Every structure is written in structure tokens, then in C-alpha cells.
Amino acid sequence: MPMDMKEIIAEAAKKLLMEQNAKKLTVKDIVEECQITRQAFYYHFEDIPALIRWVLERDIKKMLQEVQTLGNGEQRLRYFFLVAINAAPYVQKGMQSNYRDDLERLLTQYALYLFEQIVETENLYQSCTRWEVNLILRYHSQAVLGILREWTPEDTKNLDRIVHQVYLLMAGQIQPHN
């Protein structure tokens, strides 16, 4: 089965970002890697940020489909962490590129969207106003992105514990130890 040209372009961009340590990902580099014309690239994508947006949207859509099959909010949050940990090398390279601002803005938007899904499915914050829920979600999405930014191998060993604590925080159910 032939691969979709958008997929080919996306895979070439990922390869360039990872293997060649490209700080400035260019259309020229991508089309050379894919052995296509610039016109073919621009037929599929307006520019590099549009390519990044498409990749993130595709991956988020896939993740949302998979997460819907999971039982509860904590399992969904754990899946989000696993996806984020596996994507970390690409995100770190992307953050070193000249598209850092676009990538950071998109990641923040998608994290917020995923947390909105958890809040809806778990019926959290029923007594809060919409404004309060939005503030809480912004807070939690930034906190989780901060945790992921500083993720360590030790954190990976404690993944289930971290996810559980974050979920309890989101659900307002955390209890101090005596």
C-alpha cells in the first residue's frame, strides 16, 4: 500500500530533525530527503509550522481514538504520559529548532484539550463556573507539561505513582500523609 505523501513528508522532517540535528528545518532539506519538488511540498503544506501542526493533530487524533477505549480518567492520563514520554526526543529536538514557539503553543493547546476531555468524561468540577474550570485546566496542563519537561529515568520508574498523584490532584482528591 503506498504511503500518503503527507506521511512521507512528515517522516522525512522527523528524520532530519533527529538524525541530522537540524536546528533550522527547511523545506529545501525536506524535499531533498523525500526526493520531491518544492511544489509538491507546498501542495500538501503551507509551510513548516503547518507541517508541525498536521503531525501533532494527526497524533492527537490517533491518541484520542485510542484513549476512548480506556476505562477511566487515570488510565487516560497514564496513556497521555506514555505518549508524551515516547515523543519526548522529537519534542526536545523540535524545541531546539527555529519552530520552538509554534511547537510550544501547539503542545500547550493540545494538552489543554486532552485535559478537557478527562474533565468531561469524569464529570469533574461540576460546582465550578466555566471560567474557573478553564483556569483549573490551564493550571493543570502547564503543571503536567512542566513535569514532562523535567522528566527523568527515575520518573519513568515511578510512572504509575506520578500519574496517580497527578490524577488525584486534578480530581481534587489528594490526601496528605500523616
Side-chain angles (χ1 to χ4, degrees):
M1 172 185 276
M3 190 183 250
D4 179 85
M5 183 53 68
K6 284 186 169 188
E7 292 287 343
I8 292 170
I9 293 169
E11 288 305 311
K14 280 183 180 179
K15 180 181 176 188
L16 288 168
L17 202 57
M18 294 305 291
E19 293 179 4
Q20 297 179 4
N21 293 320
K23 290 234 186 242
K24 182 172 167 90
L25 190 60
T26 66
V27 172
K28 180 180 185 275
D29 293 334
I30 294 170
V31 299
E32 286 175 4
E33 180 69 28
C34 296
Q35 298 178 348
I36 61 173
T37 65
R38 289 177 70 82
Q39 290 81 4
F41 175 90
Y42 287 113
Y43 175 79
H44 295 286
F45 299 105
E46 181 181 330
D47 52 18
I48 302 284
L51 166 61
I52 293 169
R53 207 171 20 260
W54 182 83
V55 169
L56 287 173
E57 287 171 359
R58 176 202 62 190
D59 291 350
I60 294 294
K61 183 178 178 181
K62 180 181 173 190
M63 188 171 86
L64 286 174
Q65 288 171 344
E66 291 175 14
V67 88
Q68 294 303 320
T69 66
L70 300 175
N72 63 37
E74 188 169 339
Q75 291 170 334
R76 292 173 181 188
L77 185 61
R78 185 179 191 282
Y79 183 78
F80 171 77
F81 269 83
L82 287 172
V83 169
I85 292 164
N86 289 325
Y90 296 103
V91 172
Q92 288 167 350
K93 290 289 184 176
M95 293 304 242
Q96 295 168 4
S97 76
N98 53 330
Y99 299 103
R100 175 190 177 99
D101 293 341
D102 292 313
L103 183 58
E104 193 165 351
R105 186 180 68 255
L106 290 168
L107 289 172
T108 299
Q109 287 172 355
Y110 292 126
L112 188 59
Y113 178 74
L114 289 169
F115 290 131
E116 286 173 347
Q117 298 303 307
I118 290 172
V119 166
E120 278 184 32
T121 59
E122 296 289 306
N123 293 316
L124 301 175
Y125 313 123
Q126 293 297 306
S127 63
C128 295
T129 67
R130 188 73 203 144
W131 184 89
E132 291 168 333
V133 171
N134 286 334
L135 180 62
I136 292 166
L137 289 173
R138 285 175 46 209
Y139 174 83
H140 286 306
S141 63
Q142 287 300 311
V144 168
L145 289 173
I147 290 169
L148 290 168
R149 246 182 238 112
E150 303 296 324
W151 198 259
T152 67
E154 186 66 24
D155 291 333
T156 301
K157 292 177 189 172
N158 293 305
L159 174 66
D160 290 333
R161 186 175 180 196
I162 291 169
V163 168
H164 183 67
Q165 291 299 310
V166 169
Y167 179 75
L168 290 176
L169 282 167
M170 284 183 71
Q173 299 173 358
I174 198 153
Q175 300 291 321
H177 289 289
N178 293 325

